[in-house]
Amino acid sequence: MARIAITGATGLIGRALTASLAGDGHEVVRVVRGPGAGSDVRWDPAGGTIDAAGLEGLDAVVHLAGEPIGAARWSDAVRRRIMDSRARGTDLLARTLAGLERPPAVLVSCSAVGFYGDRGADELTEDAPAGDDFLARVCVVWEEAADPARAAAIRVVHPRTGVVIAKDGPLIDKVELPFRLGVGGRVGSGRQWVPWISLHDEVAALRFLVDTPLEGPVNLVGPTPADNRELTRALGKVLRRPTLFPIPPLAVRALYGEMGVTLATISQRVLPTRLLAAGFRFRHTTIQEALAEAFARPAAA
């Protein structure tokens, strides 16, 4: 069985990944900022400190930690936290792993589909260039911060994760209430592409990347792209509610500011090209299946 460290282990994906690995008998080492317990490793990304000794002899590290992008309006301070948490945390972790006597074989250092920016209906594989908006710049810096681990011959893979479909996920937690009240609907034209993935497949794909000799960027999105209209119809069907009221982007801006408009209207038709080519099999192949699963069981199941 493997010994695997996880940063961001208390977040949505981290909790589910921890449960999945531990359920199969693997030893999970949580890298935490607060008081730890047992085999937990303490770190302070902002302060630049980490317990390097606790990372010796690992088989793999999955790096999920970073300031949530959808938790608050994007003030200048929030933007700095979003960028710095990823740049500093990833650089600290990568440099520390590179300097170990017994470094891990692989660092799965997360990124996001925000790398591509707003691309309309273009089909985006891992070869597509970076966008030029705020989230794209964050993702470029985020991925480059892992360079010290790459230079030390650690296999580094960057899962560019889409919108994770889960009951408590970053999308559902914002739209569930209006949909349940019967006032949910498409945002704007609804033609913007939503790069989604179910929580189950996100966890399975992260584990696949630990075990499969892929490196560099790998898109973690469902195999059947869906636009906002399809997402709206599927969510209405799962919740058994009408979806008759289009939501103007101005209303989204009033509620959530630039953050809300960006996340709700950006269009990214991302394809999991490298994941499929490597033999990964999705459990949920459509947005309808992912939403039905999300509302049928607890998010961490």
Side-chain angles (χ1 to χ4, degrees):
M1 293 300 174
R3 184 169 176 257
I4 301 172
I6 301 176
T7 73
T10 60
L12 174 74
I13 299 171
R15 293 194 307 271
L17 178 60
T18 296
S20 175
L21 289 168
D24 286 341
H26 299 292
E27 180 185 352
V28 176
V29 177
R30 302 189 314 159
V31 182
V32 299
R33 287 180 294 178
S39 63
D40 289 351
V41 170
R42 295 287 304 278
W43 78 328
D44 177 7
T49 62
I50 190 170
D51 176 15
L55 300 175
E56 288 282 3
L58 293 166
D59 295 291
V61 174
V62 180
H63 177 39
L64 302 171
E67 180 80 10
I69 65 170
R73 287 171 173 259
W74 287 349
S75 64
D76 289 344
V78 169
R79 283 172 176 264
R80 283 194 298 272
R81 289 200 301 270
I82 289 171
M83 177 69 83
D84 291 350
S85 66
R86 287 160 174 78
R88 293 180 181 177
T90 304
D91 177 72
L92 171 62
L93 183 63
R95 284 190 293 104
T96 301
L97 296 178
L100 296 177
E101 292 184 7
R102 293 171 295 146
V106 56
L107 168 61
V108 178
S109 188
C110 277
S111 182
V113 294
F115 177 92
Y116 302 110
D118 189 357
R119 304 294 284 275
D122 294 348
E123 292 188 340
L124 302 172
T125 70
E126 291 85 354
D127 294 328
D132 59 5
D133 60 14
F134 169 64
L135 292 182
R137 293 192 295 273
V138 168
C139 290
V140 169
V141 170
W142 196 2
E143 294 182 12
E144 290 177 347
D147 284 348
R150 259 186 289 270
I154 297 171
R155 178 170 65 90
V156 177
V157 56
H158 295 293
R160 291 177 179 164
T161 294
V163 178
V164 177
I165 302 297
K167 185 66 168 61
D168 300 317
L171 172 67
I172 302 304
D173 68 351
K174 290 181 174 59
V175 303
E176 180 180 2
L177 180 58
F179 271 80
R180 286 197 181 278
L181 293 175
V183 294
R186 60 176 170 79
V187 177
S189 70
R191 292 186 175 88
Q192 62 272 31
W193 292 89
V194 182
W196 63 274
I197 186 169
S198 72
L199 179 59
H200 175 278
D201 286 333
E202 173 75 11
V203 169
L206 289 172
R207 294 190 58 173
F208 184 81
L209 295 180
V210 169
D211 297 331
T212 305
L214 287 169
E215 55 185 308
V218 179
N219 293 334
L220 264 58
V221 294
T224 308
D227 64 18
N228 183 262
R229 293 171 298 181
E230 293 171 276
L231 168 63
T232 299
R233 285 194 295 268
L235 189 54
K237 185 174 182 179
V238 168
L239 295 178
R240 300 180 182 180
R241 293 292 188 272
T243 57
L244 304 176
F245 302 96
I247 302 171
L250 284 175
V252 178
R253 180 177 290 277
L255 285 171
Y256 301 111
E258 180 191 0
M259 175 271 290
V261 173
T262 299
L263 299 183
T265 63
I266 195 170
S267 183
Q268 298 171 321
R269 193 176 185 180
V270 183
L271 304 175
T273 306
R274 298 190 68 203
L275 202 57
L276 290 172
F280 181 79
R281 292 190 175 186
F282 286 88
R283 175 164 156 179
H284 303 109
T285 60
T286 68
I287 188 68
Q288 176 81 39
E289 294 171 353
L291 287 166
E293 173 87 354
F295 285 97
R297 63 176 60 191

